[in-house]
Amino acid sequence: MLFGAWCVAGPRREIVFSRAGLRVGGAVGDLAIFDPFEPHAVLDPGQRHYSRDYFTGAEPSLFVGFEIALDQAAREAFGIDEPLPSGPVLCSAVAVNAETGALP
């Protein structure tokens, strides 16, 4: 599965992929599609790390999330190779341990 996030309301923010060193647009109308298991966050431009205090009282953003099944058409559109034969199928219905990332 791929995950999509579409910003439909709120101030300009960025979707941050710290492991990849990427920051992508998070303004109204922006859409990002990514591996949901890639660590990510939503921060204001220039903000270096998450701080709960920073967001207390801040104007909220609204993102609509959706999943894209990795069928043949989606794989071709996104340039994704075939899955490994023994690989698990992951989606929002699969419970993942929030502390360890372990699958059931």
Side-chain angles (χ1 to χ4, degrees), residues 61-102:
S61 290
L62 175 63
F63 287 84
V64 174
F66 57 91
E67 292 181 332
I68 300 173
L70 287 176
D71 60 15
Q72 188 61 38
R75 288 180 187 288
E76 288 174 11
F78 290 100
I80 299 172
D81 291 332
E82 290 295 322
L84 298 173
S86 61
V89 174
L90 301 176
C91 66
S92 61
V94 175
V96 176
N97 184 304
E99 292 180 17
T100 66

Side-chain angles (χ1 to χ4, degrees), residues 7-92:
C7 184
V8 296
R12 183 180 186 282
R13 297 224 157 87
E14 295 176 328
I15 303 171
V16 179
F17 299 94
S18 59
R19 191 166 63 176
L22 295 174
R23 297 176 79 103
V24 298
V28 173
D30 287 340
L31 175 74
I33 298 172
F34 54 92
D35 177 346
F37 292 99
E38 183 64 36
H40 57 281
V42 175
L43 299 174
D44 281 352
Q47 190 178 5
R48 304 297 298 158
H49 58 84
Y50 173 79
S51 170
R52 172 181 261 177
D53 293 338
Y54 180 85
F55 285 100
T56 301
E59 184 180 352
S61 290
L62 175 63
F63 287 84
V64 174
F66 57 91
E67 292 181 332
I68 300 173
L70 287 176
D71 60 15
Q72 188 61 38
R75 288 180 187 288
E76 288 174 11
F78 290 100
I80 299 172
D81 291 332
E82 290 295 322
L84 298 173
S86 61
V89 174
L90 301 176
C91 66
S92 61

